[in-house]
């Protein structure tokens, strides 16, 4: 089983699902395109999607670069922690943005750890 | 001909072009950085660019992961549909955001299809 | 030394650092989530991060696709120019958004050049 490809596909699918939630929130709270403000709950869903985009962009290359130097299974495990963290982030942020720290940390730390792993791998292989 | 690399380069170039249109709209409609609101037409161009960013981020890894399991030419064809869909999306969204559904679907469905192809490929290869 | 992987990791780390600056600006200027407006200086940091996201998304695939056809060391050098350009962009944009052109050009031109290199490489290899 290629866990690395599978976790990456799940992380991307989760992000697309967050985008679907934003689309549903547009209808439910009457925020019509191109506006992205106007209702607090809509804005929370929108910020969750944007923040997830902001983390998914570094996550994917960090995973595949780390997998050049380290075990792909461990890299996939870091990606799985990110996915769980993002799910917690969604739940917490929509309930109350002030409670987003745990989910944020759980999903941001794997990205930082993978980046450190890439740099360490580059220097160890040099 | 490496159609996969070519279509990916075209999709990225299209996205950069959408960014140039946003820059031009800043000047034409007098929306000065860091503002991203203030004129409806500017906001439409800006949302087209952002929404394209939101789809390009999953598209590129989905294409290259799918090409590990399926024919790269078919993957490139899915990417070409995405590019055509984005062009229709631009035209429709700037004219009237309410008409964006066709272009959106044409560009979002290839991303979803590629993701399903990746997951199916991972399980079939397991 | 794999300069390509190293420069990519540095470009991603720089982008994450820009995100940390946005988080700090939230606190310093009292802009609470999910708001992304309300204080001019906060908005500048936020736009720097977003604009960097907008360029990092095409940069990473453009680097690795270009490296399939051209010397990875030259590709890494283009990436290094991008990183320097982004740093100048941050400094200039926060001081005065009107002065952002130099840093913007220095970081956007490598992305365009890499894209041209990919397309040229695809056709030369065909």
């Amino acid at each position: 089983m290629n866990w690395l490809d599978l976790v990456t596909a799940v992380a991307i699918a989760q992000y697309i699902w967050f985008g679907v939630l934003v689309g549903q929130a547009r209808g439910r709270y009457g925020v019509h395109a191109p506006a992205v403000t106007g209702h607090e709950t809509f804005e929370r869903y929108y910020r969750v999607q944007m923040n997830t985009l902001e983390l998914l962009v570094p996550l994917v290359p960090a995973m595949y670069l780390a997998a050049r130097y380290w075990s792909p299974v461990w890299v996939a495990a870091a990606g799985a922690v990110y996915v769980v963290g993002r799910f917690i982030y969604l739940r917490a942020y929509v309930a109350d943005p002030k409670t987003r720290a745990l989910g944020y940390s759980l999903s941001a730390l794997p990205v930082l750890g993978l980046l450190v792993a890439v740099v360490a791998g580059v220097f160890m292989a040099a």
Side-chain angles (χ1 to χ4, degrees), chain A:
Chain A
M1 178 71 80
N2 191 325
W3 292 102
L4 182 57
D5 288 3
L6 186 63
V7 169
T8 303
V10 169
I12 293 174
Q14 180 189 45
Y15 158 74
I16 289 174
W17 173 48
F18 287 4
V20 170
L21 294 180
V22 172
Q24 292 179 339
R26 276 203 181 280
R28 193 179 307 134
Y29 304 109
V31 178
H32 300 295
V36 290
T37 54
H39 189 289
E40 168 81 15
T41 307
F42 169 81
E43 290 178 35
R44 291 179 187 181
Y45 278 107
Y46 180 64
R47 287 305 310 158
V48 167
Q49 185 204 9
M50 289 306 296
N51 189 274
T52 301
L53 177 69
E54 290 167 20
L55 265 184
L56 187 66
V57 166
L59 176 78
V60 174
M63 283 177 75
Y64 283 91
L65 290 179
R68 293 186 181 202
Y69 302 98
W70 308 94
S71 159
V73 174
W74 281 105
V75 170
V81 172
Y82 160 91
V83 169
V84 172
R86 277 292 105 179
F87 185 70
I88 295 173
Y89 182 80
L90 166 73
R91 297 277 299 242
Y93 200 119
V94 171
D96 178 1
K98 286 197 187 71
T99 64
R100 71 190 188 277
L102 172 66
Y104 184 80
S105 304
L106 260 180
S107 46
L109 288 178
V111 177
L112 291 176
L114 288 167
L115 270 186
V116 171
V118 173
V119 174
V122 167
F123 281 100
M124 285 166 62

